[in-house]
Amino acid sequence: MSNELGTAFKEIEDIRALPEDIILDALQSALVSAYRKDTGASAAQEIEAKIDLKTGRQMVFVEKEVVDDVLNDATEVTLERARFYEPEAQLHDVVMIQVEHTTRSFGRIAAQTAKQVILQKIREAERNALYDEFINREGDLITGTVQSTNARKVTLSLGRAEADLPRQHQIPGERYRTHEKIRVFVVEVSKSNRGPQILVSRAHRSMLRRLLEYEVPEIYNGQVEIKNIAREAGHRSKVAVAALQDGIDPVGACVGMRGIRIQNIVKELHNEKIDVIEWNNDAVAFISKALSPARVTGVYLDDDPVDGRTAVVLVPDDQLSLAIGREGQNARLAAKLTGWRIDIKSVAETVQSALDNLETAPLDTLTERHADLIAESLRIMEKKRLELAVMPEEYKSLGRLAGIVEQQLQEQRDEAHQTYLQKRKAALEELAPQLFELPLDVLAVSQEALDILEPFENIGEVMLLCAIDETLISRRFADLEGEPMTELRAALDFINAADLDQLLAEAISIEEVEEEEAAEDEALATPAEDSAVAEPAEDAAAEGDASQPEVMLDAFGQPIREDAKETEAASGAAPVEGEEIPAPVAIPAVEIERERDQRADQVHLAEEEGEREFELERQKGKQQRRQDRQRRRQLVLDEDSGEVIAKRRRKGSRGSWDEETWEDYDY
């Protein structure tokens, strides 16, 4: 391409790093916009532009109608000329005709329009190219350079794009210095008008997963699998791994020779402690290993159908604090890793509790079967009370008794669970299926009671639990004033007396109305977005003073400003002669650092306060929606007929209630 257009085309292609077809499309679109602006062509008229990259020739084709006598040369063409481009053209056909129009004949307004279109197209192409580049890196590690830091986030440079590392995604205690290179985990990549918004993290647990994949070849090759990760960034992490091939030690593969592999990860994560644990399908063995480095005496599982899964763990007295960890960290991570709620008890605590309750079931049978062990345990506990030395063999005796006690309690829990499941199965057969589709808002109970019943999700589950054992619900209402159980029974009796099909249809219709109103409110609250203008250069803007300096724009449409010093020098401002310029006051670095830390703490406290206020507002909004539903739907007893009547109040005009619009349904 030995022409001016080819030279400019090649320069744009090299600087912007964009494909040739994208730049060509931008130039052709600019040529079309410039032709429309120069000739005043209608937007309904189809116009095409073609550019020959070899010769630099530009061709513009315009849609015209074939007529006998041309009255408007911009929209009409003779049959003879039309057949030159379309041999089979007939009268009144519409054909594309090349116009004798070159870029040299364009006016200033048309040239400005073409320039704006080219810049807009190139910026849009750059944003899309950056998004396509980084969307494939989502969920992966990436290296960035620290560009700036403040109390809320750290901005990283990723080359042609920037990433945000918010405070909550940073490792506590880690300091970031400008121009420092760090590895981060790409959490999310989203589109925006200013280019891709990239959210990265160093506290995400998947970052530890990716580091293990990079450092351990067995994980990368699929010979070792990471089952689960529990992490508290900057403090401690637990990783459960399993071997997918025989003869491979998964823990040894992750740790490496003399711990070299795991040490590399520890250094990368600011000296975060990492425990690698072998996965086991047996929950007892897995929980025992998850509490490492503490030694566990026994694990007893309680899979409660109502309260969930709980594991009672017995540990020696000298291992209790180690098993719990600092501020409960070890137990908390073990619970996250295993998926079980963990209750840690010392052997001495369990034995003492059992000795105090030997007369109650199910421990009353231990006196006959293990009389010698109980007597030995009483003697050892007396020695502990007198702070005398207890031998290791005596601790083993206490451990045996504690294991027997917990085994007895577990058998009792298993029997209770089986009884519960049998009662649930029998009660389930007596309840109507429609009850499990009715929302809790139908119940005529207080808002506090509804909040407590929220985990049950529907009325059927509440009725099912009441049919099995009312105490399972009454103990949840222990802190409520009045008689909430009496109120709940009355509300459930109303439901049982009503026509469930009609009541369910009413509940569904109200839900649909609420969804429609919520959609309308959202549509009204959302401001209308500015639509993209096809031709960004307006006549008024284009006819401005041509002598004004041209503002250079970057890839995202933002003006490139000169340095403050250059601007100040260009303005010609100079100090007044004879005026003394005060010397800058030197502030100690320690005071600057202290003030920066104080500001960071204040911002952090403000963020936490904002999160709490947001959560409170969310709860208030949920309660308000429930109250609105209750006001719309009421179940009352008709004294004349003795039947339950559902009354529903509809919303009249938007934002007001029509008190007269009530609909009665006889069930």
Side-chain angles (χ1 to χ4, degrees):
M1 291 184 293
S2 58
N3 53 76
E4 296 179 2
L5 179 64
T7 304
F9 186 91
K10 186 63 176 176
E11 183 178 356
I12 295 175
E13 184 179 0
D14 294 339
I15 295 177
R16 302 293 186 175
L18 293 174
E20 178 180 308
D21 55 345
I22 292 179
I23 302 176
L24 181 61
D25 180 68
L27 292 177
Q28 292 174 351
S29 300
L31 193 59
V32 171
S33 299
Y35 177 82
R36 289 187 187 276
K37 184 65 66 174
D38 187 61
T39 61
S42 171
Q45 187 177 14
E46 184 178 356
I47 301 174
E48 295 180 357
K50 294 182 180 180
I51 299 177
D52 189 349
L53 296 180
K54 295 182 179 180
T55 62
R57 181 185 178 190
Q58 307 99 26
M59 296 173 288
V60 179
F61 295 88
V62 181
E63 183 183 54
K64 294 185 179 183
E65 182 182 3
V66 181
V67 295
D68 289 333
D69 188 11
V70 176
L71 299 179
N72 186 357
D73 187 63
T75 58
E76 297 175 345
V77 66
T78 61
L79 180 61
E80 180 181 0
R81 179 169 173 76
R83 285 184 175 176
F84 180 78
Y85 297 98
E86 187 66 38
E88 298 181 359
Q90 301 293 331
L91 288 176
H92 305 296
D93 286 350
V94 177
V95 296
M96 300 298 294
I97 304 298
Q98 182 181 355
V99 296
E100 299 297 335
H101 211 295
T102 63
T103 56
R104 296 184 182 275
S105 63
F106 286 158
R108 181 175 55 84
I109 298 177
Q112 184 70 14
T113 301
K115 176 183 176 181
Q116 293 294 333
V117 171
I118 292 174
L119 290 177
Q120 181 182 2
K121 290 286 185 179
I122 290 178
R123 286 196 298 265
E124 183 180 354
E126 284 186 327
R127 289 195 293 266
N128 293 334
L130 284 176
Y131 176 79
D132 294 339
E133 176 183 350
F134 287 99
I135 191 63
N136 297 326
R137 304 294 300 273
E138 192 174 79
D140 202 355
L141 294 182
I142 195 170
T143 302
T145 305
V146 177
Q147 186 170 343
S148 63
T149 61
N150 54 44
R152 295 184 298 106
K153 66 178 182 178
V154 176
T155 303
L156 302 178
S157 174
L158 304 179
R160 295 193 299 157
E162 292 182 353
D164 293 336
L165 178 62
R167 185 184 182 91
Q168 61 270 24
H169 286 283
Q170 300 173 14
I171 296 178
E174 194 173 37
R175 299 290 182 180
Y176 305 98
R177 296 182 297 274
T178 307
H179 306 305
E180 177 187 8
K181 291 187 177 295
I182 59 175
R183 298 175 77 179
V184 292
F185 176 78
V186 182
V187 178
E188 182 183 6
V189 180
S190 58
K191 282 187 176 181
S192 71
N193 294 331
R194 297 179 58 85
Q197 296 294 318
I198 305 173
L199 176 66
V200 296
S201 172
R202 281 182 59 81
H204 202 283
R205 66 174 184 173
S206 294
M207 181 174 183
L208 178 56
R209 180 186 295 271
R210 289 288 178 257
L211 288 174
L212 285 168
E213 291 176 355
Y214 289 154
E215 290 289 340
V216 183
E218 288 82 358
I219 296 179
Y220 183 81
N221 296 331
Q223 297 171 328
V224 175
E225 179 184 7
I226 300 176
K227 288 290 188 178
N228 198 7
I229 295 177
R231 185 186 181 197
E232 291 188 2
H235 301 288
R236 196 181 196 93
S237 297
K238 290 181 181 290
V239 184
V241 295
L244 301 181
Q245 292 184 6
D246 296 336
I248 295 179
D249 178 15
V251 177
C254 294
V255 174
M257 184 72 68
R258 297 180 181 177
I260 186 64
R261 291 177 177 175
I262 204 69
Q263 283 301 320
N264 292 335
I265 300 176
V266 169
K267 292 178 182 178
E268 178 66 35
L269 297 179
H270 196 63
N271 295 327
E272 181 178 316
K273 297 180 181 178
I274 302 175
D275 298 336
V276 183
I277 301 162
E278 185 176 1
W279 173 270
N280 198 320
N281 290 326
D282 184 8
V284 173
F286 186 41
I287 293 173
S288 300
K289 293 180 179 179
L291 286 171
S292 63
R295 290 183 289 104
V296 175
T297 302
V299 178
Y300 305 91
L301 306 180
D302 179 15
D303 194 357
D304 195 309
V306 179
D307 296 332
R309 303 190 301 177
T310 303
V312 180
V313 180
L314 288 180
V315 297
D317 292 9
D318 59 343
Q319 297 288 309
L320 181 61
S321 60
L322 188 61
I324 297 175
R326 179 179 298 178
E327 299 179 355
Q329 185 183 77
N330 192 56
R332 186 166 56 250
L333 289 175
K336 291 180 182 179
L337 190 70
T338 60
W340 285 77
R341 195 165 56 247
I342 297 178
D343 182 12
I344 301 176
K345 301 164 67 175
S346 66
V347 170
E349 176 188 356
T350 304
V351 171
Q352 186 62 49
S353 177
L355 294 177
D356 294 340
N357 297 278
L358 285 176
E359 297 179 358
T360 60
L363 302 180
D364 52 355
T365 60
L366 296 179
T367 307
E368 299 178 359
R369 293 186 296 174
H370 304 282
D372 296 340
L373 186 58
I374 290 176
E376 178 69 12
S377 299
L378 286 171
R379 184 185 64 82
I380 297 172
M381 294 304 296
E382 182 65 20
K383 290 179 64 176
K384 286 181 65 65
R385 188 182 68 81
L386 297 176
E387 297 183 355
L388 299 177
V390 179
M391 304 303 293
E393 293 78 7
E394 294 175 330
Y395 275 116
K396 291 182 179 180
S397 299
L398 293 179
R400 286 198 301 271
L401 179 60
I404 293 172
V405 169
E406 289 298 334
Q407 186 66 35
Q408 193 82 7
L409 294 175
Q410 184 176 7
E411 292 176 358
Q412 183 190 31
R413 291 192 296 264
D414 292 342
E415 293 177 1
H417 297 341
Q418 291 297 326
T419 304
Y420 170 83
L421 293 176
Q422 293 175 1
K423 290 182 179 180
R424 179 182 175 87
K425 183 178 180 181
L428 193 60
E429 296 176 352
E430 298 179 359
L431 296 178
Q434 295 90 333
L435 292 172
F436 294 91
E437 300 179 14
L438 281 175
L440 293 173
D441 301 325
V442 178
L443 289 175
V445 295
S446 64
Q447 184 62 43
E448 292 79 6
L450 279 178
D451 292 338
I452 294 175
L453 295 175
E454 184 179 3
F456 297 106
E457 296 182 355
N458 56 68
I459 293 178
E461 291 293 336
V462 177
M463 286 189 175
L464 186 60
L465 206 58
C466 287
I468 297 172
D469 189 359
E470 280 193 359
T471 58
L472 297 175
I473 292 182
S474 61
R475 66 189 183 188
R476 296 172 181 261
F477 292 159
D479 297 334
L480 293 183
E481 299 179 356
E483 297 182 356
M485 283 304 300
T486 304
E487 184 183 6
L488 179 62
R489 294 191 196 98
L492 294 178
D493 290 340
F494 275 121
I495 298 296
N496 286 325
D499 185 350
L500 296 181
D501 292 332
Q502 186 68 29
L503 191 60
L504 181 59
E506 174 71 10
I508 293 175
S509 65
I510 291 181
E511 293 291 340
E512 292 176 350
V513 170
E514 290 176 352
E515 291 178 358
E516 293 176 358
E517 292 177 354
E520 293 176 3
D521 292 340
E522 184 178 356
L524 291 175
T526 304
E529 297 182 356
D530 295 333
S531 59
V533 181
E535 299 182 6
E538 298 292 341
D539 294 343
E543 294 174 357
D545 187 6
S547 63
Q548 293 181 354
E550 183 179 1
V551 179
M552 300 300 294
L553 303 177
D554 61 7
F556 304 109
Q558 299 302 312
I560 302 176
R561 299 181 178 179
E562 298 180 353
D563 196 312
K565 294 182 179 179
E566 297 177 1
T567 306
E568 188 173 325
S571 63
V576 180
E577 184 176 358
E579 181 181 358
E580 294 184 0
I581 301 176
V585 180
I587 301 176
V590 177
E591 294 184 5
I592 296 176
E593 185 67 23
R594 186 184 302 112
E595 292 179 1
R596 185 184 296 113
D597 294 340
Q598 290 176 356
R599 289 195 299 269
D601 294 339
Q602 292 174 0
V603 172
H604 183 57
L605 292 175
E607 290 178 353
E608 292 181 350
E609 184 67 24
E611 292 177 357
R612 286 195 294 268
E613 292 178 359
F614 175 77
E615 183 64 22
L616 290 175
E617 290 295 333
R618 191 180 66 84
Q619 294 294 337
K620 289 180 182 178
K622 185 184 294 184
Q623 294 176 1
Q624 185 63 36
R625 288 194 297 272
R626 288 179 178 170
Q627 292 173 1
D628 292 341
R629 292 173 185 169
Q630 285 184 328
R631 284 196 296 268
R632 297 189 191 188
R633 182 194 303 113
Q634 293 184 2
L635 298 179
V636 297
L637 179 64
D638 189 0
E639 296 180 356
D640 297 334
S641 61
E643 297 179 350
V644 176
I645 295 178
K647 285 191 174 183
R648 172 186 172 187
R649 182 167 57 177
R650 291 186 178 274
K651 203 171 184 181
S653 61
R654 189 158 192 84
S656 62
W657 287 102
D658 185 1
E659 298 293 343
E660 301 299 329
T661 54
W662 288 84
E663 298 179 0
D664 296 349
Y665 298 93
D666 295 335
Y667 295 127

